[in-house]
C-alpha cells in the first residue's frame, strides 16, 4: 500500500481570543497557569540540565544565573499564556537587550537562540503534563505549541539581527580606532612612546619603515575606488587600511609605495619610522598640492616634481614680481592669454619652438612672435637664466 504524501503543510493554529473562550476552557487555562507556576523549580531544573548538555558556551554562566534566566523566561511565557497575548514589541525589545547582555558576556548568539528553543521545549513539555491534569482542550494546547514555536523562530531572528548589529558596530569601532591612530601619527600629535605601544594593535612593527600617502577625492565613490586600488597594490584588505581624513586630505599609512592607482593622483612621502612619519606626510602634502596644480596623476613622489614645488611658495614675493612684470600683459588685450599660455608651454618644452607649434597647431613663427611679445611686455629676457627662472615661476603660479 502506497503512503499518501501530503500536498500542503498543516494549517498553523492561532491563539484564540480570551473573551471567546467557553467557561470550562477558560477555567482550564487558569488552572494550567497556576499549576505551571507551582512547577517553576521543575522547569528550571529541566532547563538547566538541557543547556548544560547542549550549549557548551554556557559553561561560563553559573547555575544561579541560568536558573534566574529560566525563571524570567517562565514568567514571560506564563504572562502570555494567561492573557492569550501574541508577543508584543516590548517583549521583542527585551529579547534584544538580553541578546546584547549575553553577547557582552561572550555567548555566541546562535547558542542563545538554541537556549531559547530548549527553554520553549522544556516549557511545552511541562505544559503537556499539566494539560492532562486540568483537562486542557487539545485544540487549544496545539495552538499554544504552534504559537510558542513560531515565536521561538522569531526570537532566533531577533538574535541574528542583534548579531548583525554588533558586527557592524565592531567594524565601525575598529575603523574609528584605525582612523584616530592614523590621524595622530600623520599629524604628529601622538608621542613616540604611545605610537610604539599602539602600533602592535594594528599589526605594525615600530622599528619598521612605513610610507605616508596623501590624496584628495571629488566624491565618495572616487575615494572608495582609490582606497581599494591602494589596498590591492600594498596587499592589504581595504577594510584593514590605516586611513584617515586630515582637513581636506585623505592620509594613508602603508608598508610600501603602491605601484599604480590608475588615473587617480596619490602623493607619496619617504619611508620613515612611525614616530617620524608626520614629516613624511608633510612631504606628501606638498607633493599632492603641487601635482594637483600641474594636473598630474598616478603615484607621484617629490623627486618627480623637479622645481615645481617652488611655485607654491612665497606668495608676497610672487605678488610683487607679478605686478612688476606680468601686469603689462594686460595691454595686449585679448591676445594676452595666448602670449602667456604659449610662453609657459615654450618653457615647459625646453624652448623647443617646433614642439610648441605642434602642440598648439600653429606656425613656428607664431610661437616666436608670441614669446618675443612676452619678453617685450614683461622686460624679462628668456636668454638670461634669472629672468627665465622668474618667468617660469610666475607663469606657473598663474595656472588655473
Amino acid at each position: 500500500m502506497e503512503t499518501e504524501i501530503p500536498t500542503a503543510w498543516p494549517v498553523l493554529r492561532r491563539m484564540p481570543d480570551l473573551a471567546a473562550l467557553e467557561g470550562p476552557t477558560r477555567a482550564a487555562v487558569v488552572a494550567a497557569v497556576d499549576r505551571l507556576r507551582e512547577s517553576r523549580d521543575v522547569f528550571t531544573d529541566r532547563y538547566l540540565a538541557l543547556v548544560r548538555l547542549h550549549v557548551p558556551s554556557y559553561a561560563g554562566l553559573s547555575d544561579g544565573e541560568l536558573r534566574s534566566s529560566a525563571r524570567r523566561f517562565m514568567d514571560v511565557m506564563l504572562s502570555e499564556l494567561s492573557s492569550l497575548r501574541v508577543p508584543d514589541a516590548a517583549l521583542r525589545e527585551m529579547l534584544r537587550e538580553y541578546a546584547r547582555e549575553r553577547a557582552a558576556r561572550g555567548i555566541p548568539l546562535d547558542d542563545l537562540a538554541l537556549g531559547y528553543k530548549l527553554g520553549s521545549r522544556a516549557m511545552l513539555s511541562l505544559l503537556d503534563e499539566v494539560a492532562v491534569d486540568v483537562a486542557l482542550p487539545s485544540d487549544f494546547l496545539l495552538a499554544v505549541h504552534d504559537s510558542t514555536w513560531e515565536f521561538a523562530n522569531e526570537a532566533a531572528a531577533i538574535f541574528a539581527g542583534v548579531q548583525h548589529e554588533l558586527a557592524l558596530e565592531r567594524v565601525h569601532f575598529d575603523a574609528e580606532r584605525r582612523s584616530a591612530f592614523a590621524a595622530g601619527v600623520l599629524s604628529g600629535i601622538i608621542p613616540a612612546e604611545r605610537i610604539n605601544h599602539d602600533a602592535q594593535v594594528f599589526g605594525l612593527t615600530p622599528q619598521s619603515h612605513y610610507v605616508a600617502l596623501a590624496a584628495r577625492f571629488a566624491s565618495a565613490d572616487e575615494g572608495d575606488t582609490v582606497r581599494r586600488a591602494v589596498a590591492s597594490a600594498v596587499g592589504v584588505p581595504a577594510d584593514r587600511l590605516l586611513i584617515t581624513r586630515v582637513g581636506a586630505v585623505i592620509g594613508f599609512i602603508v608598508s610600501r609605495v603602491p605601484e599604480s592607482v590608475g588615473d587617480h593622483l596619490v602623493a607619496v612621502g619617504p619611508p620613515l619610522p612611525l614616530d617620524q612619519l608626520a614629516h613624511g606626510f608633510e612631504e606628501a602634502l606638498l607633493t599632492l598640492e603641487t601635482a594637483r596644480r600641474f594636473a598630474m596623476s598616478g603615484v607621484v613622489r617629490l623627486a618627480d616634481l623637479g622645481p615645481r614645488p617652488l611655485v607654491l611658495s612665497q606668495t608676497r614675493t610672487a605678488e610683487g614680481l607679478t605686478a612688476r612684470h606680468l601686469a603689462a600683459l594686460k595691454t595686449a588685450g585679448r591676445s594676452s592669454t595666448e602670449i602667456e599660455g604659449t610662453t609657459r608651454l615654450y618653457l615647459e618644452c625646453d624652448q623647443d619652438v617646433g614642439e610648441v607649434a605642434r602642440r598648439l597647431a600653429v606656425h613656428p613663427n607664431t610661437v616666436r612672435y608670441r614669446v618675443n611679445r612676452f619678453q617685450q611686455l614683461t622686460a624679462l629676457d628668456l636668454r638670461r637664466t634669472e629672468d627665465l627662472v622668474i618667468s617660469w615661476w610666475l607663469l606657473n603660479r598663474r595656472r588655473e
Side-chain angles (χ1 to χ4, degrees):
M1 179 177 178
E2 294 185 0
T3 303
E4 183 178 350
I5 300 176
T7 58
W9 290 102
V11 176
L12 186 66
R13 296 170 177 82
R14 299 294 181 184
M15 294 287 281
D17 183 2
L18 183 62
L21 290 179
E22 297 179 353
T25 301
R26 189 181 305 175
V29 171
V30 173
V33 170
D34 289 341
R35 290 286 299 276
L36 288 171
R37 282 202 178 96
E38 294 170 359
S39 305
R40 173 183 278 188
D41 290 341
V42 174
F43 170 73
T44 55
D45 288 343
R46 292 182 182 181
Y47 173 77
L48 183 61
L50 282 171
V51 296
R52 287 299 189 210
L53 180 62
H54 298 288
V55 191
S57 63
Y58 278 17
L61 302 176
S62 68
D63 286 357
E65 288 179 286
L66 292 172
R67 288 182 182 278
S68 176
S69 294
R71 284 191 290 270
R72 183 166 52 169
F73 174 88
M74 188 174 195
D75 289 342
V76 170
M77 295 293 285
L78 292 179
S79 176
E80 301 298 317
L81 179 59
S82 62
S83 58
L84 301 185
R85 288 183 311 204
V86 175
D88 57 12
L91 177 56
R92 292 177 176 84
E93 184 58 33
M94 185 191 79
L95 288 177
R96 275 189 281 270
E97 292 302 318
Y98 179 65
R100 284 181 168 273
E101 183 270 326
R102 283 294 187 245
R105 298 284 301 276
I107 303 298
L109 296 187
D110 288 345
D111 287 355
L112 191 61
L114 174 59
Y116 190 93
K117 289 183 177 181
L118 290 173
S120 298
R121 171 179 157 188
M123 176 63 72
L124 290 174
S125 175
L126 189 58
L127 177 61
D128 289 343
E129 297 170 15
V130 169
V132 175
D133 295 336
V134 300
L136 199 64
S138 59
D139 283 349
F140 180 84
L141 183 61
L142 289 172
V144 174
H145 273 260
D146 285 353
S147 178
T148 300
W149 284 119
E150 183 179 18
F151 190 71
N153 290 330
E154 185 176 349
I158 291 172
F159 297 152
V162 170
Q163 188 170 33
H164 180 65
E165 292 170 5
L166 292 174
L168 291 179
E169 289 175 7
R170 283 193 294 271
V171 169
H172 183 67
F173 176 69
D174 184 58
E176 287 186 336
R177 290 179 67 204
R178 289 176 170 278
S179 177
F181 176 75
V185 171
L186 295 179
S187 61
I189 63 174
I190 300 181
E193 296 78 11
R194 182 180 163 192
I195 290 176
N196 295 335
H197 177 270
D198 292 352
Q200 300 177 35
V201 174
F202 304 104
L204 305 179
T205 305
Q207 296 77 21
S208 298
H209 283 50
Y210 294 90
V211 177
L213 309 179
R216 284 179 182 263
F217 307 138
S219 67
D221 288 342
E222 181 187 5
D224 189 60
T225 300
V226 176
R227 180 173 64 88
R228 293 182 182 280
V230 170
S232 176
V234 299
V236 175
D239 61 348
R240 307 304 291 173
L241 270 180
L242 282 167
I243 180 172
T244 190
R245 181 177 290 278
V246 180
V249 175
I250 303 299
F252 300 80
I253 298 176
V254 295
S255 58
R256 61 178 183 273
V257 177
E259 293 184 5
S260 173
V261 290
D263 295 330
H264 303 283
L265 171 62
V266 173
V268 179
L272 290 170
L274 284 171
D275 58 5
Q276 299 177 34
L277 205 56
H279 302 301
F281 188 57
E282 288 179 3
E283 182 172 310
L285 290 176
L286 174 61
T287 302
L288 176 66
E289 295 310 307
T290 306
R292 288 180 68 244
R293 186 73 170 266
F294 284 85
M296 300 174 72
S297 62
V299 178
V300 181
R301 301 167 176 79
L302 186 62
D304 300 328
L305 299 176
R308 291 181 180 86
L310 298 176
V311 171
L312 302 183
S313 63
Q314 300 298 326
T315 299
R316 181 171 298 180
T317 300
E319 290 173 351
L321 290 174
T322 296
R324 180 184 305 171
H325 296 291
L326 301 189
L329 287 174
K330 296 179 181 179
T331 63
R334 289 183 297 176
S335 63
S336 63
T337 300
E338 294 177 339
I339 293 172
E340 184 173 333
T342 300
T343 304
R344 183 191 300 115
L345 185 58
Y346 174 73
L347 296 177
E348 290 177 358
C349 293
D350 298 326
Q351 306 180 63
D352 186 334
V353 172
E355 176 62 17
V356 176
R358 184 186 68 78
R359 293 194 189 185
L360 297 179
V362 298
H363 193 278
N365 286 339
T366 301
V367 175
R368 295 187 182 95
Y369 169 78
R370 293 175 181 174
V371 172
N372 286 333
R373 279 295 285 157
F374 174 85
Q375 294 181 100
Q376 292 168 7
L377 291 168
T378 61
L380 290 168
D381 186 349
L382 299 183
R383 292 171 300 180
R384 297 181 66 245
T385 299
E386 289 185 2
D387 285 2
L388 185 148
V389 171
I390 291 173
S391 299
W392 179 91
W393 186 53
L394 292 177
L395 289 173
N396 277 291
R397 285 188 65 88
R398 287 161 64 96
R399 293 176 74 107
E400 296 297 334

